[in-house]
């Protein structure tokens, strides 16, 4: 996925609510902490002044202030305990965060201090709280580290009770706060619905909402459908930085899983010529993600890149939340190309466009068709041809205006190796029912890239 590896199915952090943020990766996963989300939702500000020193913990059975001695390895959500200082109904071994909304996180001394926060700084919105101090199970001695580095969560909405090694409080007659403003924009089926060229909420992502035809979406490479909304999506942390700054030629490779798949082989080949290969952080995904994140990728911070290759297409043609029309693809690729040509004019950087590789003609994901037996997300080689042709026009337009851009035609290379248009299998070269390649395939793509790069 977009700079972050797709992690099917999307997994909630124990403290995260689906109402608050999607836990999505497009490469190495990006997690939004609840502190960040609280700010994003414009909920009550976090009162850092309340953070105190956490008390030490004991091994085995632990005595918690105001609570009877319990074995944390045998927590049960039916165990109700009482406190002389906290007016709330206190539940031992239960949490209410999953499906709820967290207003603030803090670090406090004990569950009583968490209760005090609920009735103090956050009394206008607190409906419950969860405390997960530094507990240790008696059976294993394993420390249960508080999530996100905090041990007290203040809830403005409680989720259903769940069994967990925590102590929670339910506020009687709690205030009903106004609903937070939505953190996402319009509903969407795919990126093409999010106005990538002008809207701040440019990326179609999974959100919690009542399903409608307008928000029905298929997430990348996962089973089933979800509900989606247009959001502002963070770029993978960058910029990309060369690891070998003394190399004769600094080479930046921008692309999706095809460029990362051949990265190690290509890096070894160009290293023999005195080049150092740097790849954009994670997966460049589609042109929508690329146009919003390109600036961070091309600013190395140490040395201007001598050569840049770029490739987009497989994510743009996918029938999932990243889908873009060929018209949008052309517009976004034109913007990316213009930015790279500007780098060329400033620094003399050599540019190389890489065509999108073929998609085998096989059954695609759908009813009665699993990930193992079908192509997921659905892609079609006719789209590859269409989008490659659109990209060729974009590159030709830039060249006619004075840019110098080479082309590595990996599409034709794979077709020739796999039997031509309409092939369904390419044994020993491309994985079955997949757009990715076997080791021999990756090596062949890397060899062709090396040949074209050296000839620029």
């Amino acid at each position: 996925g977009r700079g972050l590896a797709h992690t099917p199915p999307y997994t909630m952090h124990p403290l995260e609510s689906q109402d608050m943020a999607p836990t999505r990766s497009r490469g190495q996963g990006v997690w939004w902490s609840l502190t960040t989300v609280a700010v994003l939702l414009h909920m009550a500000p976090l009162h850092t002044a309340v953070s105190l020193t956490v008390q030490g913990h004991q091994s085995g059975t632990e005595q918690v202030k105001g609570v009877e001695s319990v074995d944390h390895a045998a927590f049960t959500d039916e165990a109700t305990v009482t406190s002389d200082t906290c007016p709330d109904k206190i539940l031992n071994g239960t949490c209410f965060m999953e499906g709820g909304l967290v207003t603030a996180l803090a670090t406090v001394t004990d569950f009583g201090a968490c209760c005090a926060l609920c009735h103090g700084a956050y009394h206008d919105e607190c409906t419950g709280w969860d405390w997960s101090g530094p507990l240790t199970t008696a059976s294993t001695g394993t420390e249960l580290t508080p999530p996100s580095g905090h041990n007290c969560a203040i809830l403005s909405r409680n989720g259903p009770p769940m069994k967990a090694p925590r102590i929670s409080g339910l506020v009687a007659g709690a205030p009903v706060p106004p609903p937070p403003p939505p953190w996402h924009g319009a509903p969407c089926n795919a990126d093409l619905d999010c106005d990538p060229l002008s809207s701040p909420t440019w990326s179609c992502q999974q959100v919690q909402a009542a399903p409608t035809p307008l928000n029905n979406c298929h997430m990348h490479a996962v089973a089933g459908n979800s509900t989606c909304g247009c959001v502002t999506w963070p770029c993978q942390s960058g910029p990309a930085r060369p690891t070998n700054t003394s190399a004769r030629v600094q080479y930046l490779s921008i692309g999706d899983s095809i460029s990362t798949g051949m990265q190690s082989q290509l890096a070894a080949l160009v290293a023999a010529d005195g080049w150092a290969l740097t790849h954009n952080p994670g997966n460049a995904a589609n042109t929508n993600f690329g146009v919003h994140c390109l600036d961070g990728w091309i600013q190395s911070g140490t040395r201007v890149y001598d050569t840049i290759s770029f490739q987009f297409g497989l994510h743009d043609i996918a029938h999932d939340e990243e889908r873009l029309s060929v018209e949008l693809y052309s517009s976004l690729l034109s913007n990316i190309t213009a930015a790279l040509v500007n780098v060329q004019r400033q620094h003399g950087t050599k540019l190389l466009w890489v065509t999108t590789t073929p998609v085998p003609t096989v059954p695609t994901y759908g009813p009665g068709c699993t990930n193992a037996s079908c192509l997921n997300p659905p892609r079609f080689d006719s789209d590859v041809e269409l989008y490659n042709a659109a990209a060729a026009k974009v590159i030709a337009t830039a060249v006619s205006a004075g840019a110098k851009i080479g082309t590595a035609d990996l599409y034709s290379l794979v077709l020739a190796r796999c039997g031509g248009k309409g092939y369904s299998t390419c044994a020993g070269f491309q994985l079955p029912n997949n757009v990715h390649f076997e080791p021999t395939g990756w090596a062949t793509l890397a060899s062709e890239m090396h040949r074209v790069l050296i000839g620029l």
Side-chain angles (χ1 to χ4, degrees):
R2 311 180 186 193
L4 320 170
H6 296 284
T7 315
Y10 296 106
T11 306
M12 284 295 162
H13 186 287
L15 274 176
E16 284 184 315
S17 161
Q18 289 183 340
D19 284 341
M20 300 171 60
T23 55
R24 163 141 183 201
S25 94
R26 288 187 181 186
Q28 285 66 22
V30 168
W31 295 90
W32 292 1
S33 72
L34 289 172
T35 301
T36 302
V37 175
V39 173
L40 181 62
L41 288 176
H42 304 291
M43 294 187 291
L46 301 184
H47 294 240
T48 54
V50 302
S51 294
L52 306 172
T53 303
V54 179
Q55 289 182 330
H57 63 273
Q58 306 171 22
S59 299
T61 300
E62 182 182 0
Q63 182 71 39
V64 182
K65 179 181 177 182
V67 182
E68 64 189 43
S69 181
V70 294
D71 179 356
H72 297 303
F75 267 38
T76 169
D77 53 9
E78 288 84 20
T80 302
V81 294
T82 59
S83 168
D84 296 332
T85 58
C86 180
D88 302 333
K89 178 181 180 181
I90 302 173
L91 301 177
N92 191 17
T94 305
C95 76
F96 296 89
M97 282 178 287
E98 188 73 25
L101 284 178
V102 175
T103 295
L105 292 172
T107 302
V108 297
T109 54
D110 53 39
F111 90 94
C114 190
C115 176
L117 269 184
C118 173
H119 293 277
Y122 301 101
H123 67 277
D124 288 334
E125 53 201 322
C126 182
T127 62
W129 48 267
D130 283 311
W131 184 78
S132 56
L135 310 177
T136 301
T137 64
S139 58
T140 64
T142 302
E143 183 173 330
L144 302 170
T145 305
S148 303
H150 300 282
N151 61 10
C152 174
I154 303 298
L155 304 174
S156 60
R157 189 185 75 196
N158 302 323
M162 295 185 65
K163 197 171 186 177
R166 296 188 177 95
I167 297 173
S168 298
L170 293 179
V171 178
V176 179
W183 64 272
H184 59 84
C188 58
N189 306 128
D191 277 1
L192 58 86
D193 299 319
C194 294
D195 193 11
L197 290 169
S198 59
S199 174
T201 53
W202 49 267
S203 180
C204 188
Q205 299 288 338
Q206 183 181 21
V207 300
Q208 186 176 14
T212 72
L214 293 178
N215 66 20
N216 182 55
C217 58
H218 177 63
M219 302 304 292
H220 189 87
V222 303
N225 280 14
S226 302
T227 54
C228 284
C230 298
V231 306
T232 301
W233 192 253
C235 295
Q236 176 75 359
S237 59
R241 295 183 182 275
T243 55
N244 178 10
T245 56
S246 63
R248 180 175 62 85
V249 176
Q250 292 292 344
Y251 164 42
L252 174 64
S253 173
I254 297 174
D256 52 29
S257 55
I258 300 302
S259 59
T260 58
M262 65 172 122
Q263 181 178 347
S264 60
Q265 294 96 323
L266 182 55
L269 291 172
V270 298
D273 299 301
W275 292 34
L277 186 158
T278 302
H279 197 279
N280 65 270
N283 188 320
N286 63 5
T287 50
N288 185 22
F289 191 66
V291 79
H292 288 92
C293 300
L294 183 68
D295 285 347
W297 298 341
I298 61 180
Q299 298 170 10
S300 69
T302 53
R303 177 178 170 182
V304 174
Y305 286 108
D306 304 290
T307 301
I308 299 176
S309 66
F310 57 114
Q311 177 185 44
F312 296 93
L314 280 179
H315 286 250
D316 303 77
I317 70 168
H319 287 268
D320 60 13
E321 87 284 6
E322 295 185 66
R323 175 81 178 183
L324 293 169
S325 66
V326 68
E327 293 81 11
L328 265 176
Y329 173 75
S330 296
S331 297
L332 293 166
L333 184 61
S334 294
N335 288 355
I336 292 171
T337 303
L340 293 174
V341 169
N342 186 51
V343 173
Q344 183 178 75
R345 289 172 178 164
Q346 292 182 51
H347 306 295
T349 305
K350 295 180 179 180
L351 299 177
L352 178 65
W353 165 248
V354 184
T355 62
T356 300
T357 48
V359 172
T361 302
V362 296
T364 57
Y365 176 81
C369 206
T370 65
N371 280 7
S373 61
C374 298
L375 191 62
N376 188 16
R379 293 182 174 106
F380 303 96
D381 199 56
S382 58
D383 278 341
V384 179
E385 289 187 277
L386 178 64
Y387 285 54
N388 270 341
K393 291 180 180 179
V394 170
I395 301 303
T397 299
V399 170
S400 67
K404 296 181 180 180
I405 307 175
T407 296
D409 190 2
L410 299 187
Y411 179 79
S412 297
L413 174 75
V414 175
L415 279 189
R417 174 62 177 78
C418 295
K421 294 181 181 179
Y423 77 90
S424 58
T425 61
C426 195
F429 193 84
Q430 191 173 42
L431 293 168
N433 303 315
N434 208 305
V435 297
H436 300 127
F437 295 87
E438 302 277 10
T440 298
W442 291 125
T444 301
L445 295 179
S447 178
E448 176 65 6
M449 284 290 296
H450 176 237
R451 183 189 70 80
V452 178
L453 285 165
I454 296 301
L456 286 177

